[in-house]
Amino acid sequence: MDPVQVAHLLRRTEFVVRPTRLAALAAGGVTRENVVDDILDVIVPVAVPAYIDHDIDGQGYNQWVYAVQWWLDRMVDGPKPMLEKMTWFWHGHFCTSWEKVTSAEAMMTQNKLFRDSAFGNFRSLTQAMSLQPAMLYYLDNLDNVASSPNQNFARELMELFTLGVGNYTEADVIAAARAWTGHGIDWPTRQYEFHSNEHDNTTKSFMGVTRNWNGPDIIDYILRENTTKKLVACKFLTRKLWEFFAYQNPPQTIIDQLAQVLYDNDMAIKPWVKAMLMHDDFYSATAMQGLVRSPVDFVVAAMYYSGFRGAELNPQWYMDGMGQVPYAPPNVAGWKTNGYWVNTSLFAGRANFARDVTWHLRENDNNDVGWNGAVQRTPAETVDYVAQMFGLDLATETRNSLISFVTVQRTNESWVGWWEATNLLTMAMMTPEFHVA
């Protein structure tokens, strides 16, 4: 596996290319399977910090801030960042929002489930997710009772979590909603509790099968018993996984191949993800020409290359303007990917954050990250220095534009070096190359 392929793989799985990781994984004689196995060799379980593993009266906002910063820091510094990448993937798949759930304990218990089960079994993950307070709150199943069935969770379970639109009927939604009645919350403890007196204990017809369905039975039927639906689910999930890690609108042949791996391994996640990372097309020109970094990917990259972490940068102040805030998806469908992030409004949010990172760099370098000697460097040398600082492989057009900026800045600036350095640092984080992975 050549260094270019390894670097591509690291950008997609570990947010950025860490030089030590690249050197270790691109050593002579290392195979693709060696590298992929190393990336997927994660350690779980991971403990949630004590401050956010329970609810503290009057501390809800502060706990959310802490949780955002803690997670972003793990994305930067975690021993195997692919664990956080997959945790983020599941958070965008099984969406819940802190704003509606209003419970640090519920949200962080779910976050821990996504992390600890990131490479476990999808069916088991789905079963556990469905009975956690965060999802019961978010999709209103705590209000789903036999006398007044609530369809929210039952519908999204099929539409967004397992099968996709067109692979179930309205009658199936109604039957599933009845099956999930009674699965609610014990309010004194705010934990899951099954209320048998609120459960519809009559027979129901779901996907042509009549029995006394209970909620978890629905998941087992879709993801195990009905092999046709199970394969549909595998293809639905595979498309979502591929578009998150590789590129948009993949050929159906790729979807079919990888879906079969998930199906054959009875919904085991790790072999499925490994098959994707081993696939030749993951290293094709189409895949390697770049995905647009999501706001989270962008923030993590800026944190890594600047050396600052969440408590110093307070990225949560800026991420709403970028369109993506951890623990706060826009709706149950989660966030879109790739080209969705390229527009003037959302890039203004990125520019604001890049400027804040710049001020931190300038305030903490005592005017000396090489800038005091900037006038002794050529404009090209200065641009190359900054590009290396941010891990950038600049296209000729981008590099020439930055060199032109430095040249003009030196002609016009009376305070030699200050605005050149300040603006160039910000501009480096706003180059096209910094916004693709």
Side-chain angles (χ1 to χ4, degrees), residues 146-201:
S147 60
S148 182
N150 186 303
Q151 297 180 7
N152 285 2
F153 176 71
R155 182 180 301 280
E156 307 307 354
L157 174 65
M158 291 181 280
E159 179 176 330
L160 297 175
F161 300 163
T162 58
L163 295 173
V165 175
N167 294 299
Y168 59 89
T169 67
E170 283 300 303
D172 294 330
V173 173
I174 293 170
R178 292 170 58 200
W180 283 103
T181 54
H183 292 276
I185 295 291
D186 172 51
W187 285 112
T189 65
R190 293 173 68 92
Q191 299 299 313
Y192 164 75
E193 185 174 74
F194 178 64
H195 303 133
S196 58
N197 62 318
E198 295 178 343
H199 176 65
D200 184 333
N201 204 35

Side-chain angles (χ1 to χ4, degrees), residues 126-127 151 153-159 161-164 166-181 199-200 202-230 232-233:
T126 305
Q127 289 283 16
Q151 297 180 7
F153 176 71
R155 182 180 301 280
E156 307 307 354
L157 174 65
M158 291 181 280
E159 179 176 330
F161 300 163
T162 58
L163 295 173
N167 294 299
Y168 59 89
T169 67
E170 283 300 303
D172 294 330
V173 173
I174 293 170
R178 292 170 58 200
W180 283 103
T181 54
H199 176 65
D200 184 333
T202 63
T203 57
K204 315 155 192 74
S205 182
F206 176 73
M207 293 189 173
V209 178
T210 301
R211 66 172 73 153
N212 183 8
W213 292 92
N214 199 346
D217 300 337
I218 299 294
I219 294 172
D220 280 341
Y221 184 77
I222 293 171
L223 299 179
R224 183 170 58 195
E225 293 179 42
N226 187 324
T227 55
T228 300
K229 294 298 182 185
K230 179 180 175 181
V232 169

Side-chain angles (χ1 to χ4, degrees), residues 9 24 73 145 154 170 190 207 209 237 250 299 324 334 345 357 373 386:
L9 180 59
D73 285 353
V145 296
E170 283 300 303
R190 293 173 68 92
M207 293 189 173
V209 178
L237 294 165
V299 166
Q324 189 175 54
S345 174
V357 172
V386 175

Side-chain angles (χ1 to χ4, degrees), residues 293 295 298-303 305-308 312-319 321-322 346-363 386 389-390 392 419 421-432 434-435:
R293 277 177 165 149
F298 168 73
V299 166
V300 169
M303 289 169 63
Y305 288 112
S306 70
F308 297 112
E312 298 165 294
L313 294 177
N314 283 293
Q316 73 282 349
W317 294 346
Y318 299 92
M319 296 183 77
M322 300 182 208
L346 297 182
F347 260 66
R350 297 190 187 212
N352 290 335
F353 183 67
R355 198 58 162 179
D356 186 64
V357 172
T358 297
W359 291 129
H360 278 78
L361 286 167
R362 299 300 275 140
E363 289 168 3
V386 175
M389 181 179 175
F390 286 100
L392 294 170
W419 284 111
T422 302
N423 290 337
L424 187 57
L425 287 167
T426 302
M427 292 167 72
M429 287 179 276
M430 292 307 295
T431 57
F434 199 72
H435 295 274

Side-chain angles (χ1 to χ4, degrees), residues 126-417:
T126 305
Q127 289 283 16
M129 167 280 306
S130 70
L131 300 181
Q132 284 192 326
M135 187 58 71
L136 293 169
Y137 291 142
Y138 188 66
L139 287 182
D140 307 309
N141 210 75
L142 74 170
D143 297 323
N144 186 14
V145 296
S147 60
S148 182
N150 186 303
Q151 297 180 7
N152 285 2
F153 176 71
R155 182 180 301 280
E156 307 307 354
L157 174 65
M158 291 181 280
E159 179 176 330
L160 297 175
F161 300 163
T162 58
L163 295 173
V165 175
N167 294 299
Y168 59 89
T169 67
E170 283 300 303
D172 294 330
V173 173
I174 293 170
R178 292 170 58 200
W180 283 103
T181 54
H183 292 276
I185 295 291
D186 172 51
W187 285 112
T189 65
R190 293 173 68 92
Q191 299 299 313
Y192 164 75
E193 185 174 74
F194 178 64
H195 303 133
S196 58
N197 62 318
E198 295 178 343
H199 176 65
D200 184 333
N201 204 35
T202 63
T203 57
K204 315 155 192 74
S205 182
F206 176 73
M207 293 189 173
V209 178
T210 301
R211 66 172 73 153
N212 183 8
W213 292 92
N214 199 346
D217 300 337
I218 299 294
I219 294 172
D220 280 341
Y221 184 77
I222 293 171
L223 299 179
R224 183 170 58 195
E225 293 179 42
N226 187 324
T227 55
T228 300
K229 294 298 182 185
K230 179 180 175 181
L231 187 57
V232 169
C234 290
K235 292 181 180 182
F236 173 75
L237 294 165
T238 296
R239 182 173 298 278
K240 197 166 187 178
L241 183 81
W242 184 270
E243 293 193 343
F244 182 84
F245 281 99
Y247 60 80
Q248 307 297 288
N249 303 313
Q252 189 62 42
T253 53
I254 293 176
I255 300 303
D256 292 344
Q257 290 167 7
L258 297 179
Q260 195 64 47
V261 174
L262 183 60
Y263 181 92
D264 291 344
N265 285 277
D266 196 27
M267 311 305 291
I269 298 167
K270 192 170 184 177
W272 174 53
V273 175
K274 179 178 178 177
M276 175 187 68
L277 301 180
M278 290 291 294
H279 200 285
D280 287 343
D281 211 65
F282 195 84
Y283 305 90
S284 66
T286 302
M288 293 182 70
Q289 64 185 221
L291 277 176
V292 177
R293 277 177 165 149
S294 72
V296 161
D297 293 327
F298 168 73
V299 166
V300 169
M303 289 169 63
Y304 171 77
Y305 288 112
S306 70
F308 297 112
R309 298 299 179 260
E312 298 165 294
L313 294 177
N314 283 293
Q316 73 282 349
W317 294 346
Y318 299 92
M319 296 183 77
D320 187 49
M322 300 182 208
Q324 189 175 54
V325 183
Y327 309 104
N331 51 58
V332 70
W335 295 282
K336 297 178 182 179
T337 56
N338 203 37
Y340 173 80
W341 301 116
V342 183
N343 64 69
T344 305
S345 174
L346 297 182
F347 260 66
R350 297 190 187 212
N352 290 335
F353 183 67
R355 198 58 162 179
D356 186 64
V357 172
T358 297
W359 291 129
H360 278 78
L361 286 167
R362 299 300 275 140
E363 289 168 3
N364 284 271
D365 65 18
N366 296 318
N367 274 349
D368 191 6
V369 288
W371 300 115
N372 285 343
V375 293
Q376 299 172 0
R377 297 180 179 183
T378 67
E381 289 170 340
T382 301
V383 168
D384 291 344
Y385 175 83
V386 175
Q388 183 179 30
M389 181 179 175
F390 286 100
L392 294 170
D393 181 13
L394 297 176
T396 299
E397 183 177 2
T398 305
R399 183 172 180 269
N400 288 342
S401 295
L402 293 178
I403 291 171
S404 177
F405 158 75
V406 173
T407 302
V408 173
Q409 186 73 33
R410 288 183 181 180
T411 301
N412 297 334
E413 185 175 347
S414 57
W415 190 1
V416 177

